[in-house]
Amino acid sequence: MPLPSYALGVMEASVYAPEVLARGLPSALPPAQPSEGRAEPTGLAAQAAPLLSLQGIGLSFGGVVALADIDLSVHPGEIRAIIGPNGAGKSSLINVISGVYRPDRGHVLLDGVGYAQVPTQRLAHLGVARTFQNLALFKGLSVLDNVASGLAYKVRSNFAGQVLGIGRSRGEQRDTLSRADQILQFLDLSPVRDRLVGTLPYGLQKRVELARALVAQPRLLLLDEPMAGMTASEKGEMAGFVRAARDRFATTVVLIEHDVGVVMGLSDRIAVLDYGRKIADATPDEVRNDQRVIDAYLGVASDNEDGAGI
Amino acid sequence: MTAISGHFSSAPVLPKWIAPVLLIAFAYGVVPLIGSSYLFEAILLPFLALSLAGVGLNILTGYAGQVSLGSAAFMAAGAFAAYNFNLRVEGLPLIGSIVLAGFVAAAIGIVFGLPSLRLKGFYLAVSTLAAQFFVQWALTKFSWFSNDSASGVIDAPRLSIAGFALDGAVGRYLFALTIVAIVTFLAYRLVSSQTGRNFIAIRDNETAARIIGIPVLKTKLLAFAISSFIIGVAGVIWAFAYLRTVEPDGFDLDRSFQILFIIIIGGLASIRGAFFGAALIVVFPLALSRLGGLLLGDVFDSGVLDMSQRIVLGALIILFLILEPDGLVALWDRIRRRLLFAWQST
Ligand SMILES: Nc1ncnc2c1ncn2[C@@H]1O[C@H](COP(=O)(O)OP(=O)(O)OP(=O)(O)O)[C@@H](O)[C@H]1O
Ligand SMILES: [Mg+2]
């Protein structure tokens, strides 16, 4: 696919293809289709254009090479896992995709539009949401308000309208809260709706962060170790939520996870990183039998199972 | 924090607006009848002005997380701007002058808030000192601001709201009360709006806030503008209703710190906290001087009072920071909950 030249080398918010912005808005999403099983989307995806692709991404910090010449394509509706030992560059990759880091080399293409650095401030408008490896919730807000803040990018009323309760602010507020409530229900968080988020147990906080990302109904959801530090049953629950989110909102998911069992069951394809290089990119079964992966990662997984890379 | 006021599912839950409405009714209906002029002049007027300044600073520092040491400068800007609008614009009602003064303070707030786009915490606090020194310097240096009076002193005009003249201590009290009540109500609405949530989001995790699409730069400057507006109006009350004659020196760094202490002691990110903190800051020196005079007699002169005031206040602040970082409000809520609980279990 040819790159629109104006979109290359964009650093700050300047020129973005307007039609992409329009498509990026969740309100412009086609009605979510329930997906037909796990194998299907992969088959379909092979023909469809990738939603996300990375081309020759390189990133280093001083002497440390975090990412080296990474190519990656993720197709619509796919759940794509990224695995690799600690320090392999997984979080760096997500930070590049979400514009937190600017790669030294290469481009990120979202829906065919290339960026030298993804504009973080426009990320939500582009239909991309993410969670963080370490919780990044707003401690001083309730669960509901945390989730509602995931819709802040759509707010068009100004503070004066909100204070006086006039103009479009009332409708917006009602709409925001009802959408937040729906997501809370979807993720089984309604019972803790009004709790201060910092008072919740860790596992629930992770789920609130997923809710905050999901409430915008993103087309691309980036999850950095959403199950880290959870018990086996919590992990299973979380995996169920991720799959349900994909099925219900037709969201494409990029997921970092250390627990190989969870990853194998959940993902359509798995990319394996080691020392900043991509050493495999295949289906779970192929990855399971890949000798380089076994050497690099699975070999150490047995004594690294719990709490790895938290 | 507002959200902390936890619910007791089984407690008799009164609507949240009952307490403030009763308080306002009492402040309008009862206090003017029973209050002495000492109560108004020495306690209630400074309390109202400082509470409002605390509300303003709390929006910036408590909610949006941007530390400022320039509060007194915005008070001064408000006071001198209102004085000049009132003096120089023919036929402008006093309320008009006050609103315009708020806008002047807000504009200055935006200018001195620009460093917040790059600086955080301690460095930002130091850069807001620039506002403190610049405004005080400008007001002293250019006598135009004080209509060429000696040493920059300005005298307050006669107070009125919507044509009603408000003279005497009670009148000035009602003037201050009305403005403080209205602005506080709007501030309360603000902090529970989407904009208020954005403030807290930026305070708690700026990166996450940016990622989910909150316009971080715009929101920070908005916090500076709104906060400075409110502090500017508080400055007008301070100058026009409380002191009646002020000079730029009255709005020095000490005053900025005083307002910062008010929100630390009262409770960060709480509208009520500003009132709790201001009450303590106003009443405490008076109580101390009474007590000192009673216990020590003549030895307890103004020098000793001043010193002991500073020592006790300093100790209080340290205690609060360590033991009750959420301030008097949290303390109050806990006591109230205990009482409620005790009352229920009987
Ligand atoms: N902001 C940064 N500054 C300096 N070095 C960094 C930074 N971010 C990442 N690195 C380095 O880049 C390398 C890759 O880090 P990254 O966090 O991407 O690994 P990871 O695969 O997510 O590891 P983990 O499983 O422990 O989370 C590491 O050597 C790390 O120290
Ligand atoms: Mg990581």
Side-chain angles (χ1 to χ4, degrees), chain B residues 13 30 52 81 93 105 108 117 131 134 142 148 210 290 298 325 335:
Chain B
V13 185
V30 182
L52 191 61
I108 298 175
L117 306 183
F134 175 80
F142 303 106
D148 300 320
R210 179 172 292 119
R290 284 277 166 94
D298 288 343
I335 292 171

Side-chain angles (χ1 to χ4, degrees), chain B residues 168-253:
Chain B
V170 178
R172 286 184 278 128
Y173 161 74
L174 290 174
F175 174 85
L177 179 64
T178 305
I179 295 176
V180 170
I182 293 172
V183 176
T184 302
F185 173 70
L186 296 178
Y188 173 77
R189 295 267 311 172
L190 174 78
V191 297
S192 38
S193 73
Q194 179 64 52
T195 301
R197 288 200 287 266
N198 290 355
F199 287 167
I200 294 176
I202 288 173
R203 175 196 74 191
D204 284 351
N205 197 318
E206 198 175 315
T207 307
R210 179 172 292 119
I211 293 269
I212 62 178
I214 291 173
V216 172
L217 305 185
K218 205 180 111 194
T219 305
K220 277 187 185 176
L221 290 184
L222 184 65
F224 267 96
I226 294 173
S227 159
S228 308
F229 183 100
I230 295 175
I231 297 175
V233 172
V236 182
I237 294 175
W238 181 264
F240 286 14
Y242 169 46
L243 287 179
R244 306 287 293 154
T245 333
V246 291
E247 52 185 340
D249 280 352
F251 300 101
D252 57 4
L253 188 58

Side-chain angles (χ1 to χ4, degrees), chain B residues 7-14 340 343-344:
Chain B
H7 300 297
F8 265 42
S9 45
S10 54
V13 185
L14 293 171
L340 211 64
W343 176 73
Q344 267 180 350

